[in-house]
Each structure stands twice: as structure tokens, then as C-alpha cells.
Amino acid sequence: MPNRRSLPGPHHLLALALAAALTAPAATARAETCAATESQALPDALPMRDFAARLGERIDACAADARRPDAERFCAEHGLECGAGRVRDYVRVRTLFEMTRDGGPFRLRWSITDRNPTAWHIWAAWRQSPPLASSAGPSATAECDELSALFAGLARRLDVRGVGLFWPTWNHTIAAWDVAPSVRVLVPTSQIFLSCDATFDRTTFLPSKQRVVYELRVTDALDSVPVPRPLAAFLLDQVAHYAGASLDVLAMIRTHRALRYGSSVPASCGEGAAAAAKALRARPLSPADRRALARYGATELGLAAPSAEATLAQIAALSPRPGRDG
């Protein structure tokens, strides 16, 4: 392994410059692919395996550039080599986490259901009543183990290995990703037993609490199960609108959405979301952040003149905020 503290020599700097020059056109192509995917026609239904392939392509196109710096920080923190495969896996896992967590862009709401740790009921609810592009309510309700199973199952379908269920306490389930033999990442798909800022790879749970994380087999839906066009379009379009946004913006929107749903996010977290909205109003926003904020304001908050600024003003007003106690 190379010495991370060594200074780059001229040949290394030249290689970096060449890599940047070669990467720029690819980044532009990915951005164009992400913007164009909404208008692509989908069949009336497509098999789950084909939907998963499109989901992976959409994540790669819409999230790769935004998440690459996060992937590099992640690798540095854990002492991992950060090759193209590792970056791709991180981008896919982190994006799936943001999409599927309680209050995320797939609009899932946490609640106690007393069902088995599988995503079967989520897919069944989605297929029976595909989410509308514009709606103030959740797309489906699921418990912590169901949310974690959805995340882990989709990760497996996207060819990311080592993702399974993790029990930090006897009565709670999250997900975990064994990236390498010595690196385990905890993935909390709900905010149960956690503070407002707990997130991917940042919890108060102990990774050693469970000795083995068994990779979740995809049993919630067979590869041949049809995904209706309205459902596939909704999930893919949510990725297109939100996946490229900054993690700060995604966290703020998720908190506000989860509080509106009255799910696992404590009501006290609303103050942090409001403060974040006020801070964001005072600084320039990236196009991806503007896109996500405008989408949230237009499709979920029902703003008459949706814009990033109008959405931030609504979140900064700290209303509504039912949430849960604690």
C-alpha cells in the first residue's frame, strides 16, 4: 500500500491532470444522461431484474459525481483503497440508503407493523398503489427491519456484496455493510434509539454487537416479478431529482418530510432542519440542490410557486412538525 503521507511528484501530478481531463467529458455525459432519463419511455411493466438494472444506471448517472468526494473521504477514514469498483459500490450503497431510509425520497414512513424482516409488504403496497409524483403522504409504511431489508435487497440487486441485517439491540433492526474483513459500516434506516444527526456510518451502536452479518438474499420479489410502469417511473424519477443533491440538503429535506409523516424522527430534530434551511438561504446553491428543493416544494409541499428559495422558507418556518417524542 502506498504511503498516504508522501507528497505527489511531478509524474503523479501529470497523471492526475490527465485523469481529470478524461473524466470531465464522462461527467458531462453522466449529467446529460441523468437529465434525459425522465423522458425515456418505459414499458407497461418490466421484470424486477430489468428495473434493478435501470436503477443502477440511474444512480451511476445522477449520483456518481456528487458522491465521489464522499467516497474518497470514506476510504481515507477506513484505510481502504479507493479504486473505481469501491467508489461505484459506495455511490450505490449511499444513494440507496438516502432513498430508502425513513422519510427519504422514496417517501417511506416508519411505524410499528409487527411484520417479518422482509421488503415483501413494501413492494406489494407499491405495486397495488404506485406512488403519485405529487403527494403529501407516504408511499408505504414499514417497520425498521422492513426498511433495512428493502435497502439490503436492492443493494444486492445492484451487485454490492456484504450487505445484510444487523440487530444492535434485541428489539431493533438496521442494516450493515461489511466492506472489507476489518471494515463494517452500520446503516440506520430509521432514527429509532438514535440522535438527529446519526446517519450512514455514524451511529452510537456497536459494530461488534453482532459477530456475523449474513448477506441478505433477495427473497422479497423474484427477478421475474413485474414492476408496473408508474412505480418504476416514480422510483427512478426520485433518484433523478434527489440523488445528486448534497448530503446536507438531503438530510434537511428528509427530516422535514419524516416530521410531516410523524415517523421515527424526534420532533426536536425540526429545529436543526430549520436552522439548516436558514443557513442554506444565505449561501449559493448548486443546480442539484436547487433541483431537489424545487421538487420537494412542488410535489410534496404544494407550493404555488415552487422554487429552492420558497422551499427553504417553508422548512425554516419549522411547520409542520408532529414527529415523535424523545
Side-chain angles (χ1 to χ4, degrees):
M1 182 180 294
N3 185 350
R4 298 188 190 91
R5 296 185 179 182
S6 60
L7 294 175
H11 295 293
H12 182 62
L13 292 175
L14 177 60
L16 290 176
L18 289 172
L22 293 172
T23 303
T28 301
R30 282 192 296 269
E32 291 174 352
T33 300
C34 182
T37 44
E38 283 184 274
S39 60
Q40 289 181 357
L42 292 170
D44 290 339
L46 62 163
M48 180 67 75
R49 71 169 73 86
D50 294 346
F51 167 75
R54 290 184 184 238
L55 179 62
E57 293 169 358
R58 184 68 59 92
I59 290 174
D60 294 344
C62 299
D65 296 320
R67 296 286 83 83
R68 181 171 288 103
D70 305 320
E72 292 171 352
R73 283 192 292 270
F74 172 81
C75 290
E77 288 174 2
H78 291 286
L80 297 167
E81 294 291 342
C82 213
R86 183 86 70 197
V87 171
R88 190 209 70 156
D89 286 354
Y90 176 89
V91 169
R92 289 186 170 192
V93 167
R94 186 62 195 258
T95 303
L96 281 178
F97 166 66
E98 296 297 342
M99 295 293 128
T100 58
R101 64 193 300 196
D102 175 29
F106 285 176
R107 299 182 191 163
L108 289 164
R109 173 183 178 268
W110 172 89
S111 186
I112 295 175
T113 64
D114 291 326
R115 296 192 292 240
N116 291 328
T118 170
W120 187 91
H121 289 281
I122 297 175
W123 285 111
W126 277 348
R127 286 196 298 270
Q128 181 178 358
S129 182
L132 299 175
S134 295
S135 174
S139 66
T141 297
E143 203 162 354
C144 53
D145 53 358
E146 297 175 280
L147 296 173
S148 299
L150 177 67
F151 162 77
L154 284 173
R156 181 66 184 89
R157 289 189 183 278
L158 267 57
D159 297 325
V160 181
R161 308 306 301 266
V163 181
L165 303 186
F166 185 91
W167 281 264
T169 66
W170 68 270
N171 59 346
H172 183 46
T173 311
I174 61 173
W177 178 26
D178 280 350
V179 188
S182 60
V183 178
R184 172 172 292 174
V185 173
L186 300 187
V187 187
T189 52
S190 72
Q191 227 62 27
I192 298 299
F193 300 141
L194 292 172
S195 63
C196 299
D197 59 350
T199 185
F200 184 91
D201 200 24
R202 194 167 77 237
T203 76
T204 51
F205 298 137
L206 297 176
S208 59
K209 182 71 175 180
Q210 185 172 316
R211 188 174 66 85
V212 179
V213 172
Y214 293 100
E215 184 177 80
L216 186 72
R217 295 184 177 182
V218 181
T219 58
D220 47 26
L222 299 176
D223 284 347
S224 59
V225 168
V227 179
R229 178 171 56 190
L231 172 58
F234 169 78
L235 297 175
L236 294 173
D237 284 351
Q238 290 296 89
V239 171
H241 281 88
Y242 289 100
S246 65
L247 295 177
D248 288 345
V249 165
L250 289 175
M252 178 192 65
I253 293 175
R254 180 191 64 85
T255 299
H256 192 261
R257 183 188 286 116
L259 291 176
R260 288 176 38 240
Y261 292 169
S263 55
S264 70
V265 175
S268 58
C269 297
E271 297 178 3
K278 293 173 183 176
L280 287 167
R281 293 173 71 184
R283 76 184 198 205
L285 296 170
S286 71
D289 283 346
R290 287 188 168 277
R291 180 177 174 82
L293 288 163
R295 172 78 166 184
Y296 183 54
T299 61
E300 298 185 60
L301 299 184
L303 299 180
S307 66
E309 288 76 16
T311 301
L312 287 172
Q314 181 82 2
I315 296 174
L318 201 59
S319 176
R321 56 166 206 170
R324 67 173 174 86
D325 294 332

